[in-house]
Amino acid sequence: MTFFDHLTLKNKIFFTCLGFVLLVSVLIALFTRALLISSLTSGLKDRGVGIAQSIADSARVFILTENRVELTAIAYDARLGNRKDFVSYLVISDKDGQILGHTFTTGFFPGIRKVIRQRNPDNLSINTLDQRGYSVFHISVPVKEGIYTIGAVHVGLDKKHIESLIAKLRLIFLSFLSVITVIFFFLSHRLALHITRPITALIRYTDQITKGDFNILPDAVSGGIAASGPPDKTGPYDKEDDIARLTDSFIKMTCQLKESTDRLKESQKKYRSLFRSGPNPIFVVEKTGFRILDANPNAIELFGYGLEELIGMRLFDLAKHGQDHFSNDPGPDQAMMGSSKAGFYKKDGTSVFVNIHTSPSTYKDEDVILVGTTDISELVEKDSQLIQASKMANLEKMSAGIAHEISQPLNAIKMGSEYLCMMQEKNRPVNKDDLHMVLTQISTQVTRAAEIVGRLKTFSRKTGFTSEIININECVHAVNKIIGRQIALQNIALVLDLDTCLPRVLAHHNRIEQVVFNLVTNARDAVNEKMETMIHDQKGQILIHTFADHSNAVLEISDNGTGIAPGRMDSIFESFYTTKEMGEGLGLGLPITRGIVKDYNGTISVKSTPGKGTCFQIIFPAHHKGTEDENSCYR
Amino acid sequence: MNIFRYLTYLLLCCCISTCFSCSPPPQSDLGPDDTRGVTADEIRIGSSLALKGHAGYLGTQMLQGAMSYILHINSQGGIHGRKINLTALDDGYDPTRCLYNTQQLILEEQVFALFCYVGTPTTVRIIPLVNEAKIPLVGMFTGANRLRSPSNPFLINIRASYYQETQAAVDYMVKTKGFDRVAVFYQYDEYGFDGLRGTELALQKYGLIPVAKGSYVRGTLDVEAGLETIMASRAQAVVMIGTYDPCAKFIILARQNGFFPLFHNVSFVGSKELARRLGHDGEGVIVSQVVPPPTLTPEPSPLPGVAEYIRLLASHYPDTRPSFVGLEGYMNARILCEGIERAGRDLTREQFLQAIASIDDYDPGILNPVSFGTREYQGLNHVYLTVIKDGDLVLIK
């Protein structure tokens, strides 16, 4: 019954109760009517029979004498008084059914003559006659003279007497039902209100709380809820019924809710102040798209943009290399993840290096990522300076080799120019071919010297921390040019196995050269040590191997030197840890190498067998950006 | 709207349930358009009255008085083209027979109206029939109070009541004659009781009560017991409510016993017959009348109604002498015809009753205007006191 479902609770109660009461009343009415009709009818019939019998007694003598006048008078007399109400007619007939006297003043009841003629006068009978909707009980009583029937008395009992009583009864019942309905309307109204008013009040208060308005007093709540009930001297809290309990629970819940909300607001305030005055720049960015939603004053200060400018920008619009080194999925267990030495640009274009720490959070009902950026520009600067220092130390190592390298071309130039001077002094003409040969030789050697100088210059240059797309093979070649000859002179084979299709990486040429240089010099030292101290059956070898591994570029530098003892494996990357003697090395090479590798999101690992050799493996992620074909190979 | 649909269902259920419990009322074929007894050229009237027996004079006289006027009207073409057909049945002043006759008149003869009934017990007996059949009854030779109060629209009384007659008698006795000892001799039935009551009410106004009451049984001449009682009371006047035979015997016996009070009879006694039976004993006996004397006296000037009655009676019933009763019957016929006349051609019982009710201050020629007001259904109100002088009834001035 969908109609029923759509009613309010109050109306449901009302209609249910009303329907029930009406049903019961109607049933009672019908039952009573049935009972009444049957008892009234039998009563009426009894009276009719009684009347007929008394008339029979007084009519007897006149029937014998066929005195119609007297019989008519008797018949009319029988209808005197209140009998007129229910005696419709009276007929006295003889034994043949001929009417001798009757009370039909205006006209005979249709068919009555036939009925009387056909009736057997010997027996008492009661029948129902219906004529034009007018119903009577026809009672026939025999008039006996001794055992002989001499006639009959017929009484017609009008049912309308009963029917008028029934109508009156019906009217009483209907008015009774109406009164009941009206009373019940009010009763159920009150009853329903007693239930629904507290509910309505509760709904109202709950809505209020949902909107965040906790400004409802417990007294008002209980007063409002309990206002619909009957006034109670003991007060609303003392009532035991469910409404009171509901009120109490609601009030408790409201207080609890209010406390929680207050606490939440407090903590929000706390974190708000942390956000505002935190020492590090913090960005609130969207989880997808990394659009900046908010930034704290430090971030504004660091990056030089105004807050309105920042909001709406994508975080990585500020970065040098966009989103490349930053992956979004922290994994299910990690609350934070970071990225180090990410390069960002300030508004004025100056670059700044930050460490990024992220953690997911909710900000104004959205899932966001809090991005903390720590300014490490100074650190990066120091790093560069350290690398430079290390480079300088290396340079010292290289000086002998460089001197040797440069002296060769210089010697060649000296020889050539001395020859020309000698020829000039002797006043001998120089052979054209000889002259050409000497001059080209001089030019070539100058070029070579210049190359060496240039390489030196390049190597020693202090570079900032930048990234560019490079090919590791080039670095290897460059280092080979610098130090290759020197190593060869020390009777160590420097083998290059370079993959021509090595993927490009995002790093820095100079710094990767640094890395290769450090590792190669370490390898040379290790091999030299082995040659001097150990029995060896092989020639010393340093192998530089580059290859692609999935989407990474791999650089392996292995030697067959002394190797590293397992206990020392952990310490080799420590700063100032060296196995060389005092003055021979700073012990910064590997730490710096590792630093550089990490800077460019690479990994470095080492495998070593003491006495057999060591293999350093560096893996850089391939850089896929750019329009160049990533598979283009470089020799 | 679902609420309306629900309410409609509820209402429907209520209607159905009430329908099942209702039954249509019985039909009645009696209505304002009832034209029973009226045909295109005839109006049937019925009468049950004493034509034979100890009250036969009253009925006969009345009938002849009425018929003389009716025959006169019929001879002139009737009323609105219809002639009046009067059926008269004899009931011998027996209420039971009157009842039977009336049933036959209404049921079998299908008369339009009843007319000229005689006697109190008889007329009273048929009141239920009149009410059931809703048939007008015009002109009853009885002054019974029961026919007048409570007022019944079907009972059209024309003559003054017994209360009025006894009032007039008592007034004459007490005021004019200065008597204070008044006795009552009455027929032991409704008629007598009515007269007794009237006398008592009249005496009450003077602070008196009847000094003696004597009665006789209707249809008998057993007046001795009553006479004894009244004689013993030494009454100065006797109000008598009875018929001519027993009353005459009473007066004769009284005089024989040396008892000479003032005797008064009500009009129902049948004054002519009373006078005839009394002979010279009737001298000084007062009879109250409701119509003027049916004689053409030179002074005052002859009443036109009386003159007409005498003339028409002579023409139709030459062997009958004019009488008070006859004049009453004539008056009844005059009123009946006036009512039919006023009802118009579309004659129904309803129309007729309305026509009668419209009769106001109508003088049928006896200086006694007829008014059928709404309070007392009675036409004439005047009571005439007559006294027997030389065997004739003479008006007391």
Side-chain angles (χ1 to χ4, degrees):
Chain A
M1 277 230 284
T2 55
F3 161 72
F4 202 67
D5 292 334
H6 290 151
L7 292 174
T8 63
L9 185 63
K10 179 163 91 89
N11 283 337
K12 269 192 190 139
I13 292 172
F14 169 63
F15 279 122
T16 313
C17 293
L18 185 68
F20 186 68
V21 162
L22 278 178
L23 186 71
V24 168
S25 306
V26 164
L27 282 175
I28 290 174
L30 288 174
F31 176 71
T32 314
R33 180 167 172 265
L35 198 69
L36 200 68
I37 287 176
S38 64
S39 64
L40 280 177
T41 312
S42 61
L44 189 70
K45 286 177 187 170
D46 286 344
R47 268 187 93 179
V49 169
I51 291 168
Q53 281 171 343
S54 72
I55 290 168
D57 289 334
S58 48
R60 189 178 296 114
V61 65
F62 298 116
I63 294 173
L64 289 171
T65 55
E66 289 207 3
N67 190 333
R68 287 172 191 257
V69 171
E70 288 296 329
L71 289 171
T72 309
I74 288 170
Y76 271 103
D77 282 341
R79 283 193 71 218
L80 288 174
N82 66 348
R83 284 185 188 172
K84 222 194 312 241
D85 291 336
F86 62 95
V87 176
S88 172
Y89 57 81
L90 238 147
V91 176
I92 303 171
S93 63
D94 65 8
K95 63 183 183 329
D96 298 319
Q98 295 290 111
I99 295 177
L100 299 174
H102 62 89
T103 61
F104 293 114
T105 310
T106 49
F108 279 92
F109 200 75
I112 192 79
R113 273 191 262 235
K114 201 162 96 173
V115 166
I116 290 171
R117 250 203 310 279
Q118 286 171 351
R119 198 152 302 278
N120 180 0
D122 288 333
N123 303 323
L124 180 115
S125 64
I126 302 175
N127 295 92
T128 311
L129 297 179
D130 287 297
Q131 198 51 240
R132 285 174 296 169
Y134 188 48
S135 191
V136 292
F137 289 121
H138 183 92
I139 299 175
S140 305
V141 166
V143 181
K144 292 194 192 277
E145 177 84 352
I147 59 162
Y148 299 105
T149 309
I150 57 165
V153 173
H154 312 270
V155 180
L157 297 174
D158 199 348
K159 282 190 187 172
K160 76 172 188 288
H161 180 65
I162 297 177
E163 272 151 25
S164 71
L165 273 173
I166 299 294
K168 220 188 295 184
L169 187 72
R170 191 189 320 129
L171 191 69
I172 290 171
F173 256 111
L174 278 177
S175 28
F176 174 69
L177 273 180
S178 317
V179 167
I180 288 282
T181 309
V182 168
I183 289 173
F184 218 86
F185 182 80
F186 287 111
L187 262 179
S188 74
H189 190 69
R190 294 232 52 184
L191 175 72
L193 272 182
H194 181 71
I195 295 169
T196 58
R197 203 182 280 172
I199 293 175
T200 317
L202 265 177
I203 293 169
R204 201 170 54 242
Y205 290 127
T206 314
D207 285 340
Q208 211 176 332
I209 288 169
T210 309
K211 290 198 192 99
D213 177 11
F214 284 89
N215 295 330
I216 49 172
L217 304 167
D219 288 334
V221 169
S222 66
I225 289 170
S228 66
D232 195 346
K233 287 193 278 288
T234 55
Y237 286 103
D238 297 333
K239 281 200 286 200
E240 279 302 315
D241 71 352
D242 302 312
I243 302 291
R245 285 211 293 272
L246 184 66
T247 313
D248 284 342
S249 299
F250 184 76
I251 291 167
K252 280 188 202 133
M253 182 201 77
T254 310
C255 292
Q256 188 69 23
L257 208 61
K258 188 161 196 293
E259 278 175 31
S260 304
T261 313
D262 289 341
R263 277 202 297 270
L264 189 67
K265 279 200 180 125
E266 281 265 340
S267 89
Q268 273 183 348
K269 261 206 305 215
K270 192 162 59 174
Y271 289 110
R272 197 97 206 120
S273 66
L274 279 175
F275 182 78
R276 290 245 159 276
S277 52
N280 283 333
I282 303 174
F283 289 94
V284 181
V285 301
E286 279 180 2
K287 198 163 180 196
T288 50
F290 304 110
R291 207 177 304 278
I292 297 173
L293 297 171
D294 201 356
N296 74 346
N298 265 314
I300 292 163
E301 203 191 307
L302 176 65
F303 287 94
Y305 289 95
L307 181 62
E308 312 78 45
E309 292 170 296
L310 281 176
I311 292 174
M313 277 175 78
R314 294 177 72 240
L315 183 67
F316 294 103
D317 291 343
L318 298 167
K320 283 186 185 170
H321 295 287
Q323 208 176 314
D324 289 341
H325 290 166
F326 191 76
S327 79
N328 188 25
D329 295 317
D333 295 334
Q334 287 174 285
M336 281 174 40
M337 59 153 278
S339 174
S340 58
K341 294 205 188 143
F344 279 75
Y345 285 111
K346 291 194 193 187
K347 183 172 183 182
D348 56 10
T350 54
S351 75
V352 60
F353 291 96
V354 295
N355 272 346
I356 297 178
H357 298 275
T358 63
S359 86
S361 177
T362 53
Y363 177 81
K364 291 186 184 172
D365 304 326
E366 266 184 65
D367 280 341
V368 296
I369 301 176
L370 293 176
V371 179
T373 54
T374 317
D375 186 0
I376 50 162
S377 308
E378 254 186 57
L379 202 72
V380 166
E381 176 61 30
K382 292 234 167 22
D383 235 7
S384 300
Q385 285 176 352
L386 200 65
I387 290 168
Q388 193 63 11
S390 156
K391 243 198 254 177
M392 290 304 114
N394 283 336
L395 215 59
E396 200 189 336
K397 285 190 219 147
M398 282 165 39
S399 60
I402 290 167
H404 182 258
E405 293 259 349
I406 286 188
S407 68
Q408 282 196 339
L410 283 174
N411 279 341
I413 293 166
K414 183 164 183 223
M415 274 171 58
S417 54
E418 274 184 357
Y419 172 69
L420 288 174
C421 276
M422 189 189 73
M423 295 304 275
Q424 183 74 3
E425 277 177 12
K426 287 193 173 162
N427 256 342
R428 278 218 284 215
V430 182
N431 192 344
K432 231 196 202 150
D433 292 325
D434 290 340
L435 184 66
H436 187 259
M437 189 195 70
V438 169
L439 288 172
T440 47
Q441 193 59 251
I442 289 170
S443 180
T444 313
Q445 297 302 323
V446 167
T447 309
R448 193 170 151 211
E451 225 183 83
I452 291 168
V453 168
R455 226 180 290 129
L456 200 63
K457 207 167 90 171
T458 313
F459 187 76
S460 63
R461 195 170 354 127
K462 176 170 179 272
T463 56
F465 178 66
T466 52
S467 306
E468 59 201 11
I469 302 164
I470 59 156
N471 192 321
I472 297 174
N473 292 345
E474 283 175 18
C475 305
V476 173
H477 282 303
V479 169
N480 190 23
K481 282 227 184 78
I482 294 171
I483 202 174
R485 204 184 290 258
Q486 198 180 14
I487 289 171
L489 282 172
Q490 287 176 336
N491 209 20
I492 299 171
L494 182 62
V495 179
L496 302 182
D497 177 14
L498 307 179
D499 187 354
T500 49
C501 297
L502 190 69
R504 284 170 172 65
V505 300
L506 193 67
H508 191 273
H509 208 271
N510 198 301
R511 295 204 178 191
I512 300 299
E513 276 182 25
Q514 188 83 348
V515 165
V516 174
F517 188 86
N518 281 339
L519 291 173
V520 165
T521 46
N522 282 354
R524 184 207 50 196
D525 292 340
V527 168
N528 278 340
E529 198 179 318
K530 182 171 174 195
M531 294 299 142
E532 285 166 17
T533 57
M534 293 181 184
I535 304 154
H536 53 275
D537 52 356
Q538 287 171 311
K539 196 177 166 191
Q541 180 181 298
I542 300 173
L543 171 65
I544 303 179
H545 181 209
T546 61
F547 59 93
D549 175 30
H550 300 106
S551 61
N552 300 319
V554 187
L555 169 66
E556 271 183 8
I557 299 174
S558 28
D559 63 69
N560 55 1
T562 52
I564 305 169
R568 296 204 174 125
M569 204 67 97
D570 299 324
S571 321
I572 54 170
F573 289 101
E574 277 176 24
S575 303
F576 303 111
Y577 178 84
T578 178
T579 52
K580 300 205 174 75
E581 289 172 22
M582 265 274 282
E584 291 261 326
L586 288 170
L588 286 173
L590 279 177
I592 287 170
T593 302
R594 189 171 71 164
I596 292 168
V597 167
K598 268 196 164 161
D599 281 348
Y600 296 112
N601 295 321
T603 56
I604 182 167
S605 60
V606 57
K607 282 201 272 271
S608 182
T609 313
K612 282 273 178 353
T614 309
C615 174
F616 279 90
Q617 192 189 60
I618 295 170
I619 305 172
F620 283 107
H623 180 68
H624 296 296
K625 201 170 161 193
T627 54
E628 292 164 278
D629 183 2
E630 58 189 69
N631 287 329
S632 70
C633 301
Y634 175 79
R635 197 194 80 82
Chain B
M1 271 290 295
N2 278 332
I3 185 95
F4 287 130
R5 189 155 32 117
Y6 182 79
L7 284 175
T8 315
Y9 289 151
L10 191 65
L11 205 66
L12 218 70
C13 288
C14 286
C15 286
I16 288 170
S17 58
T18 44
C19 279
F20 274 122
S21 20
C22 277
S23 63
Q27 274 187 299
S28 167
D29 39 32
L30 298 174
D33 301 322
D34 186 17
T35 53
R36 246 189 281 225
V38 179
T39 60
D41 54 358
E42 191 182 65
I43 303 169
R44 300 170 65 84
I45 309 288
S47 180
S48 170
L49 66 178
L51 296 171
K52 296 189 186 62
H54 65 97
Y57 169 80
L58 301 170
T60 319
Q61 281 293 306
M62 175 156 262
L63 190 63
Q64 286 179 352
M67 281 307 291
S68 47
Y69 185 73
I70 288 170
L71 289 169
H72 164 69
I73 288 292
N74 283 350
S75 69
Q76 293 191 327
I79 305 170
H80 297 306
R82 293 190 181 100
K83 296 204 173 142
I84 298 174
N85 181 345
L86 178 61
T87 310
L89 299 173
D90 173 36
D91 63 15
Y93 195 46
D94 179 9
T96 328
R97 270 173 57 196
C98 181
L99 179 72
Y100 184 74
N101 288 348
T102 309
Q103 189 190 50
Q104 297 308 305
L105 286 169
I106 298 173
L107 192 64
E108 306 289 342
E109 299 291 325
Q110 299 260 310
V111 296
F112 171 72
L114 298 169
F115 180 65
C116 271
Y117 271 57
V118 169
T120 308
T122 44
T123 314
V124 161
R125 195 79 169 78
I126 60 119
I127 290 175
L129 268 72
V130 165
N131 289 337
E132 199 180 316
K134 294 186 173 48
I135 189 168
L137 170 54
V138 185
M140 292 83 84
F141 186 60
T142 161
N145 191 52
R146 190 122 87 93
L147 298 170
R148 289 156 175 81
S149 150
S151 72
N152 187 328
F154 301 109
L155 301 173
I156 302 160
N157 299 288
I158 296 171
R159 75 192 326 268
S161 69
Y162 292 142
Y163 282 21
Q164 283 165 310
E165 285 192 52
T166 51
Q167 179 75 52
V170 165
D171 285 346
Y172 180 73
M173 289 169 188
V174 175
K175 278 216 302 239
T176 316
K177 288 291 191 179
F179 293 147
D180 57 354
R181 305 176 65 77
V182 177
V184 183
F185 180 70
Y186 58 100
Q187 178 165 294
Y188 202 72
D189 68 359
E190 175 131 16
Y191 159 51
F193 295 142
D194 211 30
L196 173 66
R197 184 92 190 102
T199 315
E200 281 173 341
L201 285 171
L203 284 170
Q204 215 173 63
K205 288 205 186 72
Y206 296 100
L208 300 168
I209 57 163
V211 296
K213 293 184 251 196
S215 62
Y216 73 97
V217 173
R218 176 181 72 219
T220 67
L221 294 170
D222 303 331
V223 301
E224 287 83 358
L227 177 62
E228 233 178 271
T229 315
I230 290 169
M231 279 201 310
S233 73
R234 292 180 296 109
Q236 292 161 307
V238 182
V239 172
M240 302 172 69
I241 299 110
T243 55
Y244 44 81
D245 274 331
C247 285
K249 187 178 170 189
F250 184 91
I251 295 169
I252 292 165
L253 280 177
R255 296 211 196 279
Q256 282 173 358
N257 285 302
F259 184 49
F260 299 99
L262 175 65
F263 290 106
H264 163 264
N265 280 275
V266 291
S267 57
F268 190 77
V269 75
S271 34
K272 273 267 152 67
E273 280 299 299
L274 181 71
R276 196 170 64 80
R277 278 162 176 65
L278 285 172
H280 60 84
D281 278 331
E283 205 70 17
V285 171
I286 299 171
V287 182
S288 55
Q289 308 286 355
V290 294
V291 288
T295 50
L296 294 165
T297 47
E299 33 140 12
S301 46
L303 297 164
V306 176
E308 196 184 49
Y309 159 63
I310 293 169
R311 183 169 55 80
L312 291 173
L313 184 69
S315 73
H316 291 107
Y317 298 95
D319 298 327
T320 310
R321 291 187 54 214
S323 64
F324 286 95
V325 184
L327 182 56
E328 261 200 68
Y330 172 82
M331 286 296 132
N332 291 348
R334 280 290 295 267
I335 303 300
L336 175 75
C337 292
E338 183 65 23
I340 293 171
E341 171 78 39
R342 287 193 189 202
R345 175 74 191 167
D346 299 324
L347 185 62
T348 63
R349 284 175 182 169
E350 185 71 27
Q351 291 279 71
F352 176 73
L353 290 169
Q354 279 174 11
I356 293 288
S358 77
I359 294 174
D360 199 47
D361 219 22
Y362 164 75
D363 182 12
I366 52 171
L367 283 180
N368 191 352
V370 178
S371 296
F372 288 101
T374 50
R375 278 194 305 127
E376 278 202 61
Y377 230 83
Q378 177 177 294
L380 299 165
N381 284 294
H382 210 87
V383 175
Y384 308 83
L385 283 177
T386 57
V387 65
I388 299 176
K389 224 186 206 154
D390 296 324
D392 277 324
L393 285 146
V394 177
L395 202 61
I396 299 174
K397 301 282 190 295

